[in-house]
Amino acid sequence: MNETKGKQIPPGVEIRYTEPGDAKYLKEWLMDPSVKNWFPMADEVEVDDAVIRWVAFYRFKCSLTITKDGVPCGIATLYLQPYRKLAHQCEFGIIVGAEYRNQGIGTYLMSSIMHLAKEKFKIELLHLQVYAENPAMNLYRRFGFKDFGRQQGWIKDDSRFVGRVFMERYL
């Protein structure tokens, strides 16, 4: 692995700002049945809406796409706040394509989005919300995110309720 600023970078992996063309990859990942379980969108129409909202942040250069051998394999986006009194904090979203997991790509993407948040946007507090059963919580905890709240009946999937966990980390 290559090393940049003390971080391990998997071979062939690069980070760049998200571009509108990355939307097709995001849609593909969100439509994957194994991934759909961890996001609230129920069908293709809702996924299309989420993709538009997520990728639209490319205009502010607050969304990063990670590529492996030139192919997008993950996206992380800071959902910047438009009001000065809230600008010190923001929520973020992250996704890595199923075939690229457990290769250090998510770790490098997390490091990169946190660096962007702190250095470029002067974010002091990052937070996220995640399905209560999502294994990605292990990644977030490894990066120092702590639970600060729960909602038990967030998603109603058929007749089953799934909760969410709110997590945060000061930068």
Side-chain angles (χ1 to χ4, degrees), residues 17-20 53-63 77:
Y17 288 116
T18 299
E19 302 167 354
R53 293 171 191 272
W54 195 329
V55 174
F57 280 89
Y58 86 91
R59 299 179 318 233
F60 306 109
K61 295 198 179 302
C62 63
S63 184
T77 298

Side-chain angles (χ1 to χ4, degrees), residues 92-118:
F92 76 100
I94 183 170
I95 187 170
V96 174
E99 65 271 27
Y100 298 104
R101 292 195 198 118
N102 300 312
Q103 299 176 35
I105 290 172
T107 297
Y108 186 50
L109 186 55
M110 278 289 294
S111 294
S112 299
I113 200 70
M114 290 171 67
H115 179 79
L116 181 71
K118 183 176 182 175

Side-chain angles (χ1 to χ4, degrees), residues 155-167:
I155 300 289
K156 186 175 181 183
D157 194 4
D158 298 320
S159 61
R160 177 178 169 257
F161 286 98
V162 179
R164 68 177 160 174
V165 176
F166 298 95
M167 302 178 82

Side-chain angles (χ1 to χ4, degrees), residues 13-112:
V13 170
E14 295 180 351
I15 292 271
R16 61 169 169 75
Y17 288 116
T18 299
E19 302 167 354
D22 297 335
K24 70 179 183 180
Y25 296 95
L26 179 57
K27 180 177 180 176
E28 180 183 311
W29 303 327
L30 289 171
M31 291 298 295
D32 178 340
S34 69
V35 173
K36 261 177 91 172
N37 293 333
W38 308 119
F39 289 89
M41 292 74 74
D43 57 31
E44 188 170 4
V45 171
E46 291 180 5
V47 167
D48 286 339
D49 180 65
V51 167
I52 289 166
R53 293 171 191 272
W54 195 329
V55 174
F57 280 89
Y58 86 91
R59 299 179 318 233
F60 306 109
K61 295 198 179 302
C62 63
S63 184
L64 298 175
T65 296
I66 192 164
T67 63
K68 185 169 185 179
D69 301 322
V71 178
C73 55
I75 295 176
T77 298
L78 300 170
Y79 302 115
L80 299 175
Q81 296 289 329
Y83 309 113
R84 277 183 290 155
K85 291 181 181 180
L86 298 175
H88 68 285
Q89 57 85 41
C90 76
E91 185 173 1
F92 76 100
I94 183 170
I95 187 170
V96 174
E99 65 271 27
Y100 298 104
R101 292 195 198 118
N102 300 312
Q103 299 176 35
I105 290 172
T107 297
Y108 186 50
L109 186 55
M110 278 289 294
S111 294
S112 299

